[in-house]
Amino acid sequence: MEISVLPLSEAEKKPKFTDESQLGFGKIFTDRMLLVEWKIGQGWVDARIKKYEPFVLDPAALVFHYAQEIFEGLKAYKWADGTIALFRPEMNARRFNHSAERLCMPEVPEELFLEGIEKLVSVERDWIPTAEGTSLYIRPTMIAVEPLVGIKPSDHYYFYVILSPVGAYYSQGFKPVRIMVEDKYVRATPGGTGEAKTGGNYASSLKAGLEAKKKGFDQVLWLDGVHRRYIEEVGAMNMFFAYGDTIVTAPLEGTILHGVTRDSVLTLARSLNMKVEERKIDVNDLMNDIRSGKITEAFGSGTAAVVTPVGALCYANECLEVNGGGVGKITQTLYDTLTGIQTGKIADKFGWIRKVK
Ligand code: COI
């Protein structure tokens, strides 16, 4: 499908940031966006790269009422030699369509998803920051725009992609975060939408997040919705625990997001001769194993969060430090290796990098 690039005058361009250390996460957006529409009877039409600007949408648009919405997150990097690299975008394309299927939305052809992102990143290349720990965050999104108050899948969708130059997801940077195990609210149940990347999952997690923040935590760690016992995910991250040189994470059984970074961490760990286990983790065992020192490190993984060390975990009014609250060796190695591959400093022997022409 032809993707047209609409003209943008110099006067319409925004001033660029000057200090890359002050980017924060997801607050600044580039000059242009990709927009493609899907209409019933026509399929995907009118792919264009246009000025980044507000949408004019009908107040009855289905997305506003029934949350028929999905999104993705991936990053582009500018290497020292000028190469522009995307990290495993094919996995995001597949997961996007997996989410689309769950939300009864049309699938975006993988080629359109990838070419659209590549072309947009290419025309916006001057916006990619290069300071340590920065990147261009890419947010593909699909929303239901048919004006209708009845409940049904929409007849009209926008698939769009916006770009944001970002620094670290957590304001403190690569420093250990404090996580509270959530025992009051749940995020997902079997048969629900936990595995889909859909806005509703995040909206329903806000209350737990706010209550945790008031108590001084960075985020909550969800337990399974049935037994309230097994570790699931953090929302912005999948969770890992190191038992010496074995790293353990929860299995993908329908309620947890199939993290691209999660998969990359597992692959990297195997290649570094660590043992990996995907298995159910009982929160009571987890606390015992931290207390006894069997668990030597804890960290989260995510596109936004990359690899983030977890310094303290609290459950049922008990707070335990992991690794003395510091950054562990495995966590540091995985972070360095992953970001090394992403930024072109370490050779990519896994075929994860897709270069933008
Ligand atoms: C990501 O890691 O890209 C996420 O989607 C997490 C969060 C920013 C929603």
Side-chain angles (χ1 to χ4, degrees):
M1 175 177 216
E2 192 55 40
I3 302 167
S4 53
V5 181
L6 306 184
L8 191 73
S9 71
E10 283 306 310
E12 286 177 299
K13 290 185 183 167
K14 300 177 227 177
K16 295 215 170 48
F17 48 85
T18 44
D19 183 357
E20 293 188 355
S21 69
Q22 298 300 313
L23 282 173
F25 187 87
K27 294 184 284 197
I28 298 169
F29 300 96
T30 71
D31 291 319
R32 300 174 178 89
M33 61 189 288
L34 170 76
L35 177 61
V36 195
E37 292 180 55
W38 186 94
K39 292 176 182 163
I40 199 152
Q42 292 180 47
W44 291 107
V45 291
D46 209 4
R48 68 260 196 208
I49 288 170
K50 60 180 283 292
K51 183 182 172 188
Y52 179 106
E53 61 188 346
F55 290 129
V56 176
L57 289 179
D58 196 295
L62 281 161
V63 63
F64 296 139
H65 303 270
Y66 309 122
Q68 206 190 1
E69 186 268 2
I70 59 169
F71 70 96
E72 268 304 320
L74 67 157
K75 285 174 173 172
Y77 307 83
K78 195 184 278 172
W79 294 358
D81 68 359
T83 300
I84 295 171
L86 301 174
F87 186 72
R88 310 189 76 182
E90 306 82 4
M91 280 196 85
N92 297 95
R94 265 176 256 139
R95 189 172 64 183
F96 193 68
N97 283 334
H98 189 71
S99 303
E101 196 276 328
R102 182 64 181 82
L103 274 286
C104 300
M105 302 171 96
E107 291 193 359
V108 175
E110 196 165 316
E111 213 179 270
L112 173 61
F113 186 95
L114 296 174
E115 276 177 22
I117 287 173
E118 275 191 52
K119 202 159 182 176
L120 178 64
V121 168
S122 183
V123 294
E124 296 289 70
R125 59 179 63 219
D126 291 348
W127 282 93
I128 308 175
T130 53
E132 178 94 22
T134 64
S135 58
L136 186 70
Y137 188 79
I138 305 168
R139 174 51 64 89
T141 310
M142 190 180 350
I143 54 173
V145 298
E146 182 189 356
L148 181 77
V149 173
I151 302 178
K152 71 159 192 67
S154 182
D155 282 351
H156 187 187
Y157 296 91
Y158 284 179
F159 164 54
Y160 65 93
V161 180
I162 54 174
L163 307 174
S164 176
V166 297
Y169 181 66
Y170 293 103
S171 53
Q172 71 267 38
F174 185 70
K175 297 246 178 68
V177 292
R178 288 169 59 80
I179 298 284
M180 188 191 97
V181 180
E182 177 59 61
D183 55 9
K184 182 167 156 199
Y185 304 108
V186 296
R187 172 184 177 274
T189 47
T193 57
E195 210 177 65
K197 208 158 174 62
T198 181
N201 289 344
Y202 296 80
S204 64
S205 78
L206 292 175
K207 194 164 164 62
L210 270 188
E211 290 182 14
K213 216 153 239 140
K214 271 194 213 139
K215 294 181 193 153
F217 298 99
D218 295 290
Q219 284 204 340
V220 302
L221 172 56
W222 300 104
L223 295 177
D224 78 281
V226 177
H227 312 280
R228 309 275 185 112
R229 217 173 114 185
Y230 299 106
I231 301 298
E232 297 224 317
E233 61 165 75
V234 168
M237 310 192 289
N238 294 109
M239 273 302 301
F240 288 86
F241 301 96
Y243 287 75
D245 65 358
T246 301
I247 62 166
V248 183
T249 193
L252 303 175
E253 291 178 344
T255 51
I256 296 179
L257 206 71
H258 291 219
V260 177
T261 313
R262 175 189 181 280
D263 184 79
S264 309
V265 162
L266 290 173
T267 305
L268 272 183
R270 283 191 197 99
S271 82
L272 295 167
N273 293 324
M274 294 175 207
K275 291 186 239 20
V276 307
E277 291 175 12
E278 292 174 74
R279 63 166 166 86
K280 282 195 166 18
I281 307 163
D282 185 315
V283 62
N284 298 300
D285 297 341
L286 180 78
M287 295 303 276
N288 283 336
D289 292 347
I290 296 175
R291 223 179 279 116
S292 72
K294 272 196 205 164
I295 288 183
T296 44
E297 295 181 36
F299 61 90
S301 74
T303 295
V306 195
V307 170
T308 294
V310 173
L313 212 78
C314 302
Y315 174 60
N317 296 321
E318 183 185 20
C319 278
L320 298 173
E321 274 196 346
V322 188
N323 193 36
V327 181
K329 235 176 82 191
I330 291 179
T331 309
Q332 186 74 54
T333 303
L334 289 167
Y335 176 84
D336 290 344
T337 315
L338 188 65
T339 54
I341 294 171
Q342 290 167 334
T343 54
K345 293 181 191 117
I346 295 178
D348 167 29
K349 61 177 183 185
F350 305 102
W352 286 342
I353 296 297
R354 186 178 170 110
K355 292 186 180 174
V356 173
K357 282 158 238 119

